[in-house]
Amino acid sequence: MPSADLSRLAALHGVATSYSPSPDRTVAASVTAVTRALAALGVDAGTPEAVRAALAARERERAERLLPPTVVGWGTGVPPALAALPGGTLLLVRTEQGETRPSAENLPPGVHRVTATAPDGRTGEAHLIVAPPGLPAPPARSYGLLVQLYSLLSRRSWGMGDLADLGELADWAGRTLGAGFVQINPLHAAVPGPPTDPSPYRPSSRRFPDPVHLRIEDVPEFAYLSESKGEGAGVEGAEGAEGRARLEGPLRRAAELREAVLDKGALIDRDAVWAAKKAALEAVVDEVPLGPGRLAAYRDFLAEQGQALEDHATWCALAEVHGPAWHTWPAPLRDPRSPGTARARRELAARVDFHSRLAWLTDTQLTAVQRTAREAGMPLGIVHDLAVGVHPEGSDAWAQQDTLAAGMSVGAPPDAFNARGQDWGLPPWRPDRLAACGYAPFRALLQALFRYAGALRIDHVMGLFRLWWVPRGLPPTEGTYVRYDAEAMLAVLVLEASRAGAVVIGEDLGTVEPGVRERLRERGVYGTSVLWFERDWEGDGRPLPPEAWRADCLATVTTHDLPPTASRLTGEHVGLRDGLGLLTRPLAEEHAEAAADTAEWLDLLTRLGLLHGHGTDGAVPARADGTATTRADGTATTEEEARIQAVHRYLLRTPARMIGVWLPDGVGDRRPQNLPGTWDQYPNWRLPVADAQGRPVTLEDLAASPRLRALLDVVRTRTDRPGGAEGTGGVSGTGGAGGAEGTDGAEGTDGADRADAPGRT
């Protein structure tokens, strides 16, 4: 148990000394975990004497300071921290817009600077974040598609889905099916391999996208490289022939990779795809100069992105020479601001420019995709995903060492569903350094993503409030929670989202600290509700009635971390987990529980009139009026399809303003894209969308699929007619909106740590 002094010191720095995995149980954090967390915050607590000295210094500093490093205000009122200053305190506010004001009233939204001078002579200066009171709701109730972009291959892609495929999907779904959005996985830049970590949730950089998603043929200069010699050609003579020859290998390799995945059952090979694209991009950049207008646009991008892009491109260039693990680089290169790094940047100027160019090209294609989605009639367009952290050896970890907690990793504590806890291997931000710089890194990250996002999903949104820090070398059980200034984090989020006119969706599955969902809802941040987890956990444990669901959420049947709906309804997901040795109970017991769960849902769907004629006799299900259900092409709907349609009808009975359809469910895919708890035992993040037999389904096939069209017709025809009362939004009194809600009111993991709940590997 931490001593009283250590507990007090920890509390003053936002470090917890205990946590509650259930309402009736409190577990003390180890002294080692608390001491190591404080050390990562620059506080020496290694001895009782050091603790007392640090405690006295902290208390003295808080007593003497006039202002905290960052002050938050909502709307046009005076921020509470400024209203609480001693009477007679003089203020000077320098606004983001360049004004100087003597008052903090009626300030415009932005990040300002405030100086306070108290009557006793004390002065203080702080960042002043002023945000709108909250975000507006989405323009109208809508449905959308959920898909992992890499899995969405067309007959034109290079072995994995790309941004042109995403644009085609959005254009088709918006114009033909009335979809309001497409939600995808994080497109953050990955740490290069081989092998590249395939998880989109352990990126090298969250600030910059990965050029592996580029459609090479859509790069304007590509056309000139591939032209034959003649008028209008960008490259002539021997140089032109050489440039075209450099494309032959990448184009041939692209065809081989595409054929391997779509026709030969191969897994998606991200490294091979990137090798082919990189070679093609190098040929384009080397052989075809930018025209005057394009060059001006590129230079504008460089100026706008500034130091952050230069750092990212420098890391990419250095990684090509020394490998991606920057902790193993020559000592001078481990510091992005060292003279040695500056010298290396000059020596590698061509490669730094190459990687900067790729960031620009990817940004332009992402922007074009969002424009396409909006022009197709989508009110939101593309919903991008923000991972909870970055890889410790990646670009952001190298460039942002001053704001990351050295020797720490983000994870989840042990609970009833995972006694060992979790370590996600992601270094956390230091809350003190964020506050000291006015949350500049977080602001810049959001600004970058909102450039091309109609909405943003935030993975593990509870991390805006606190994160479980695990000291390096210790198991997750030896971690502790560290708090962030949630008001400041939320203010930055609301400010940047409002500037972009974007919606924010928080992934709040699992056990959530009391009050978190309410504070998110107050600021207009939507939650995530998954059908299988929406039960009356505080009551009889049965499925939550649709009218009791919250309105301010994205409601789905499944996610990328869960079994596809066909697999869950048939119980095939249990067999998959058993084959991989992931079950913690006998197979028969797991099968029985899964069958009982499915039967309960089917009975409920039948009672509500959403599913008729289900059973084991293979009879064609019927509609409520008794007529047989058929697809658009006139063929009968199978029992499996009818059940999948029925669970989506259930979502439509809820007041949820956003309804998400997992795209692979539309063709009967059985395989989850990610199986938490596995690494190389299962092909996580490497599977194409497939049909019920595991045969890959191309984007062209998806658009022509009667089965998918029938499912989406069910959703589109009722999306604007919610079955529940619109006024019943918010977290219901029966405790829905998340897995393991039986522990609502406990602190727990803040994550999805059940074996069958979304998680991270």
Side-chain angles (χ1 to χ4, degrees):
M1 293 285 292
S3 67
D5 283 347
L6 180 57
S7 296
R8 174 63 178 161
L9 177 64
L12 290 173
H13 288 277
V15 178
T17 54
S18 65
Y19 72 99
S20 298
S22 61
D24 57 350
R25 181 168 173 250
T26 299
V27 178
S30 72
V31 172
T32 299
V34 174
T35 302
R36 292 274 297 272
L38 286 169
L41 293 171
V43 180
D44 181 5
T47 65
E49 294 77 16
V51 169
R52 288 193 291 271
L55 179 58
R58 182 64 168 173
E59 290 177 334
R60 183 172 56 254
E61 180 266 329
R62 289 172 65 91
E64 293 176 352
R65 78 183 185 189
L66 194 59
L67 290 173
T70 294
V71 173
V72 173
W74 298 96
T76 57
V78 176
L82 300 182
L85 290 171
T89 299
L90 300 178
L91 296 181
L92 181 66
V93 179
R94 295 180 295 278
T95 71
E96 181 183 282
Q97 293 77 14
E99 298 178 285
T100 299
R101 299 190 181 190
S103 168
E105 290 183 306
N106 299 313
L107 290 174
V111 181
H112 317 304
R113 291 289 288 176
V114 58
T115 301
T117 304
D120 61 7
R122 288 181 299 155
T123 63
E125 188 171 6
H127 301 276
L128 173 54
I129 302 172
V130 177
L135 293 170
R141 194 185 203 215
S142 64
Y143 89 93
L145 305 176
L146 281 57
V147 67
Q148 301 282 286
L149 178 56
Y150 58 83
S151 71
L152 182 71
L153 281 75
S154 70
R155 286 290 175 183
R156 295 178 178 177
S157 54
W158 288 32
M160 63 180 282
D162 60 33
L163 292 173
D165 295 325
L166 178 59
E168 288 282 358
L169 176 68
D171 211 6
W172 168 71
R175 295 181 186 278
T176 306
L177 300 172
F181 60 90
V182 175
Q183 178 181 303
I184 56 174
N185 54 285
L187 302 186
H188 309 318
V191 177
T196 296
D197 186 340
S199 172
Y201 293 94
R202 291 192 80 210
S204 172
S205 174
R206 296 187 294 174
R207 172 77 180 269
F208 296 101
D210 199 312
V212 75
H213 301 109
L214 284 169
R215 171 63 65 85
I216 303 299
E217 294 88 342
D218 285 354
V219 175
E221 289 71 34
F222 176 88
Y224 298 105
L225 182 62
S226 59
E227 280 183 353
S228 59
K229 182 182 176 183
E231 185 177 354
V235 182
E236 299 182 358
E239 289 186 7
E242 181 181 347
R244 291 190 296 277
R246 292 178 64 179
L247 280 181
E248 292 177 3
L251 290 171
R252 182 172 59 252
R253 183 63 175 142
E256 294 170 352
L257 291 168
R258 180 170 55 245
E259 181 183 3
V261 174
L262 294 178
D263 302 326
K264 298 181 179 179
L267 298 176
I268 293 170
D269 188 340
R270 182 191 182 103
D271 289 328
V273 172
W274 175 233
K277 290 190 175 184
K278 183 179 179 183
L281 289 164
E282 286 172 337
V284 170
V285 171
D286 290 347
E287 305 292 344
V288 184
L290 294 174
R294 293 269 293 164
L295 181 59
Y298 175 46
R299 287 174 174 167
D300 284 349
F301 181 77
L302 292 176
E304 184 178 55
Q305 300 300 313
Q307 185 70 57
L309 177 56
E310 187 174 79
D311 286 343
H312 175 65
T314 299
W315 181 90
C316 292
L318 289 171
E320 291 177 331
V321 178
H322 302 285
W326 64 266
H327 284 99
T328 67
W329 292 354
L333 301 182
R334 298 173 202 167
D335 179 359
R337 303 291 168 257
S338 73
T341 298
R343 182 167 55 254
R345 184 183 292 116
R346 290 192 297 270
E347 294 169 351
L348 297 171
R351 297 306 295 175
V352 172
D353 181 71
F354 174 71
H355 291 289
S356 297
R357 180 90 66 92
L358 299 193
W360 172 59
L361 292 173
T362 312
D363 181 87
T364 59
Q365 289 196 9
L366 282 163
T367 302
V369 169
Q370 173 63 2
R371 183 169 57 250
T372 295
R374 297 301 292 270
E375 290 175 351
M378 289 188 168
L380 293 179
I382 308 303
V383 180
H384 284 272
D385 199 348
L386 174 61
V388 71
V390 295
H391 196 288
E393 295 290 358
S395 164
D396 285 358
W398 175 73
Q400 298 178 12
Q401 296 173 55
D402 57 336
T403 56
L404 295 176
M408 290 288 158
S409 174
V410 174
D415 67 359
F417 301 102
N418 191 330
R420 293 175 295 181
Q422 297 183 41
D423 183 347
W424 303 332
L426 310 170
W429 267 328
R430 285 181 54 166
D432 58 330
R433 294 285 175 82
L434 285 177
C437 66
Y439 295 81
F442 188 39
R443 284 161 29 212
L445 171 59
L446 294 173
Q447 289 166 3
L449 291 169
F450 283 133
R451 288 171 63 89
Y452 40 74
L456 182 65
R457 173 191 181 269
I458 299 183
D459 190 40
H460 193 67
V461 72
M462 297 81 77
L464 298 178
F465 295 77
R466 65 179 186 176
L467 287 171
W468 183 258
W469 285 19
V470 181
R472 182 182 300 149
L474 296 182
T477 53
E478 292 293 311
T480 190
Y481 277 114
V482 175
R483 282 208 174 275
Y484 293 78
D485 185 343
E487 280 294 285
M489 299 288 277
L490 282 172
V492 171
L493 178 61
V494 170
L495 173 64
E496 299 303 339
S498 64
R499 284 171 161 170
V503 170
V504 177
I505 304 161
E507 185 268 290
D508 58 351
L509 299 174
T511 304
V512 181
E513 183 183 12
V516 166
R517 287 197 179 103
E518 290 78 6
R519 290 179 70 182
L520 292 170
R521 181 187 181 192
E522 178 188 6
R523 299 305 177 192
V525 177
Y526 270 38
T528 301
S529 294
V530 176
L531 180 131
W532 310 113
F533 300 151
E534 291 295 316
R535 289 178 173 271
D536 183 4
W537 296 108
E538 294 183 350
D540 57 13
R542 297 181 66 81
L544 198 65
E547 64 272 12
W549 284 42
R550 54 183 172 174
D552 51 339
C553 73
L554 168 62
T556 69
V557 176
T558 190
T559 75
H560 60 271
D561 280 329
L562 293 174
T565 305
S567 177
R568 191 172 190 109
L569 289 173
T570 60
E572 293 177 32
H573 66 297
V574 177
L576 174 62
R577 294 181 61 82
D578 178 60
L580 294 170
L582 298 176
L583 298 185
T584 57
R585 296 180 297 173
L587 176 60
E589 187 176 335
E590 294 275 359
H591 265 309
E593 181 178 290
D597 182 82
T598 298
E600 183 177 35
W601 276 104
L602 293 176
D603 288 343
L604 175 60
L605 295 171
T606 301
R607 290 199 307 272
L608 293 176
L610 304 176
L611 175 67
H612 294 262
H614 84 273
T616 58
D617 58 359
V620 175
R623 296 192 183 94
D625 61 3
T627 61
T629 303
T630 58
R631 302 194 192 100
D633 64 352
T635 59
T637 302
T638 66
E639 181 180 9
E640 175 182 292
E641 292 175 63
R643 291 177 173 181
I644 293 175
Q645 291 177 12
V647 292
H648 285 86
R649 289 191 183 98
Y650 190 89
L651 294 184
L652 295 168
R653 289 283 186 95
T654 76
R657 291 182 62 84
M658 296 178 68
I659 305 295
V661 179
W662 178 238
L663 185 61
D665 274 352
V667 288
D669 202 342
R670 257 65 174 167
R671 305 176 300 181
Q673 284 295 313
N674 178 50
L675 193 58
T678 63
W679 180 244
D680 56 1
Q681 309 98 310
Y682 184 80
N684 296 315
W685 319 112
R686 289 174 287 171
L687 295 170
V689 176
D691 63 15
Q693 288 73 44
R695 296 173 301 213
V697 179
T698 66
L699 173 58
E700 294 86 353
D701 294 336
L702 284 167
S705 168
R707 175 170 177 166
L708 175 60
R709 180 65 71 93
L711 174 59
L712 298 183
D713 280 346
V714 165
V715 181
R716 70 175 298 198
T717 56
R718 293 185 56 86
T719 300
D720 59 348
R721 292 180 293 163
E726 276 292 336
T728 60
V731 181
S732 70
T734 51
E741 284 301 318
T743 58
D744 192 25
E747 292 186 1
T749 66
D750 284 3
D753 303 296
R754 298 180 55 171
D756 63 344
R760 296 158 192 82
T761 57

